[in-house]
Every structure is written in structure tokens, then in C-alpha cells.
């Protein structure tokens, strides 16, 4: 049998295998611990009045996206300029961030998100430098040859958020809670807390524990992702 040489596509093939690029800054370990501890204490606290939702997950670590890999993946269909090189883009994103510099930021607000069911509780992390980093990262991707981040697309933005908790079931709106009460579909002693009540309770707890103050973010980390399964 004739030996067949393995065909190599070199650089172009390696680029094709990369599914996305991400850039993140992780909250300092002590900050993440304080957030997780405050959420745990709040939702386990025995109290009269509306019943807080049961939580499925309380993350102990919090990554803040400077460049969200899902946003990058969504732009793939718009194509690439000749010579696109994700490695060059990754290095430039690091340089734009000031290398190993840490950053200070703060929580701008708390939200409850979800498409059909509102179960994910998030916090928005804000700072002018963080916003500038997000814009710079998108511009770098465009300059490296990714068409989805060129022109007007480079100016698109999404807030940097962290997940601070995930409820097991949908957290009802104020209107939904009112409807439950009016229909008599819930035990008077088991009336669920509404989204507004949950948000207010978290905001008060964070204020008490000084979490709304200055938060420390670790140095930026940039990596290539070859699978978007759970990222």
C-alpha cells in the first residue's frame, strides 16, 4: 500500500479551529467570597414576610468579560480579512489593557435576567477604564481582520456583568405575585418574594457589607477557545 502524506493546511487551518477569543478580568478572591457569603446569608435567613426564592447556584468566583467569546462567535459569519491572526489580536488586547495592571471598579446595579423565566441574578460591573477596554478589544479584533468588529460593529457594546446567583424556579414579578394572591393560589404564609423585593433585599445586604464600594479586578487574561460548549 502506498504511503500517503498527511496533508497540512498550516496557519490557515489553525486559525479555523479557534472558535472564539475571550478576555476577562476576575474579581479578587476576597471580593468574590464576600459576595457569595452575603448572598448565602441573605437567602438562608429566616424572616417573616415574602419567601425568598430557593437558589440552585451561588458562584464562588466571578469573571468579568472584557471580550465575551459568545459575542466573538456571533461575528464569525461576517468573515475575515486576508491575514487574520487571532494570536496577534490576543497580544494586542493585553497591551491595550496595560499588561498585568489590576483594576478597580464597582457594582452599578443588580438585575434579574432570563428569556422565558427570570432566574439569573446578575450584577453590572462598571468603570470608565473597563468600558474603554471593551471598546479597545473590539477594535483590535477588527484591525486584526475580523469583519464583524469593523466599522459600526466596533462601537457596539454590552455591559460587563457577573452572575451572583441562580434561582431554582422563576422569580415572579410584582404583578404575578398580586395575581397569585387575588386568585388564592398560594398559602398566605408562603407568598413568594417578587423580583423587586429580591433586588431590594440584595441591594440592602450589599450596602450593609460594603460591596457597593470599590471592587478589585485581577489582571486581564486572554485566551483562544476551540470549543464553545460550556463557555
Amino acid at each position: 500500500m502506498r504511503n500517503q502524506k498527511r496533508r497540512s493546511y498550516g496557519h490557515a487551518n489553525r486559525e479555523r479551529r479557534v472558535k472564539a477569543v475571550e478576555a476577562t478580568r476576575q474579581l479578587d478572591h476576597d471580593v468574590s467570597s464576600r459576595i457569595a457569603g452575603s448572598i448565602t446569608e441573605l437567602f438562608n435567613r429566616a424572616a417573616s414576610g415574602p419567601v425568598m426564592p430557593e437558589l440552585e447556584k451561588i458562584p464562588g468566583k466571578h469573571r468579568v468579560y472584557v471580550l465575551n467569546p459568545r459575542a466573538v462567535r456571533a461575528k464569525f459569519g461576517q468573515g475575515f480579512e486576508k491575514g487574520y491572526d487571532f494570536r496577534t489580536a490576543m497580544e494586542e488586547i493585553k497591551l491595550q489593557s496595560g499588561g498585568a495592571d489590576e483594576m478597580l471598579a464597582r457594582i452599578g446595579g443588580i438585575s434579574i435576567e432570563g428569556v422565558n423565566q427570570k432566574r439569573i441574578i446578575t450584577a453590572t460591573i462598571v468603570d470608565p477604564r473597563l468600558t474603554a477596554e471593551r471598546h479597545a478589544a473590539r477594535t483590535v479584533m477588527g484591525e486584526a481582520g475580523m469583519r464583524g468588529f469593523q466599522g459600526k460593529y466596533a462601537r457596539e457594546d454590552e455591559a460587563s456583568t457577573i452572575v451572583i446567583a441562580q434561582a431554582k424556579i422563576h422569580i415572579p414579578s410584582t404583578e404575578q405575585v398580586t395575581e397569585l394572591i387575588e386568585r388564592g393560589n398560594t398559602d398566605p404564609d408562603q407568598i413568594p418574594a417578587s423580583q423587586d423585593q429580591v433586588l431590594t433585599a440584595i441591594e440592602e445586604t450589599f450596602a450593609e457589607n460594603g460591596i457597593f464600594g470599590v471592587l478589585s479586578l485581577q489582571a486581564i487574561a486572554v485566551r483562544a477557545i476551540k470549543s464553545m460548549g460550556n463557555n
Side-chain angles (χ1 to χ4, degrees):
M1 180 182 294
R2 185 175 62 183
N3 291 329
Q4 293 182 340
K5 292 184 178 179
R6 178 174 296 176
R7 184 178 298 176
S8 174
Y9 294 94
H11 176 77
N13 197 42
R14 291 197 302 273
E15 297 291 341
R16 193 176 293 112
R17 289 199 301 267
V18 174
K19 300 301 182 184
V21 173
E22 76 168 16
T24 59
R25 283 183 178 273
Q26 190 152 303
L27 259 65
D28 182 80
H29 174 73
D30 290 341
V31 174
S32 283
S33 294
R34 285 167 55 203
I35 290 175
S38 296
I39 291 293
T40 300
E41 192 276 332
L42 171 64
F43 281 78
N44 288 338
R45 184 187 302 163
S48 59
V51 178
M52 294 290 278
E54 187 176 355
L55 298 183
E56 182 175 79
K57 182 179 181 181
I58 303 176
K61 295 181 180 179
H62 304 91
R63 290 192 301 173
V64 179
Y65 282 111
V66 175
L67 184 64
N68 192 316
R70 296 200 178 278
V72 177
R73 185 69 183 87
K75 301 295 186 182
F76 271 30
Q78 296 177 44
F80 305 86
E81 299 289 345
K82 184 178 179 180
Y84 169 71
D85 183 354
F86 74 90
R87 290 183 180 83
T88 299
M90 291 168 64
E91 290 302 320
E92 184 61 27
I93 289 172
K94 289 181 182 178
L95 291 174
Q96 290 281 351
S97 71
D101 289 348
E102 295 183 358
M103 179 186 289
L104 298 179
R106 62 183 176 82
I107 291 179
I110 312 294
S111 302
I112 300 177
E113 302 177 7
V115 179
N116 297 316
Q117 294 190 336
K118 304 291 185 179
R119 300 194 302 127
I120 302 173
I121 305 172
T122 65
T124 303
I125 307 299
V126 297
D127 185 85
R129 283 203 305 163
L130 187 59
T131 301
E133 275 193 351
R134 291 200 306 270
H135 290 167
R138 299 174 77 91
T139 299
V140 165
M141 295 298 289
E143 291 176 345
M146 193 168 184
R147 290 175 182 164
F149 287 115
Q150 295 174 350
K152 66 178 181 179
Y153 301 110
R155 296 187 293 274
E156 292 178 346
D157 195 17
E158 56 182 9
S160 291
T161 60
I162 57 172
V163 175
I164 58 177
Q166 181 171 320
K168 285 189 175 181
I169 61 174
H170 169 70
I171 301 174
S173 65
T174 300
E175 293 74 18
Q176 289 170 330
V177 172
T178 300
E179 186 175 347
L180 281 174
I181 296 172
E182 291 177 346
R183 289 184 176 182
N185 291 343
T186 185
D187 186 325
D189 295 326
Q190 294 296 316
I191 296 174
S194 69
Q195 294 171 25
D196 288 340
Q197 290 170 324
V198 170
L199 292 175
T200 298
I202 293 174
E203 289 168 357
E204 291 176 349
T205 298
F206 278 13
E208 291 171 1
N209 294 327
I211 295 174
F212 273 126
V214 176
L215 308 178
S216 176
L217 302 180
Q218 296 177 4
I220 195 168
V222 185
R223 72 186 183 106
I225 299 174
K226 294 185 178 181
S227 171
M228 288 296 292
N230 295 313
N231 285 289

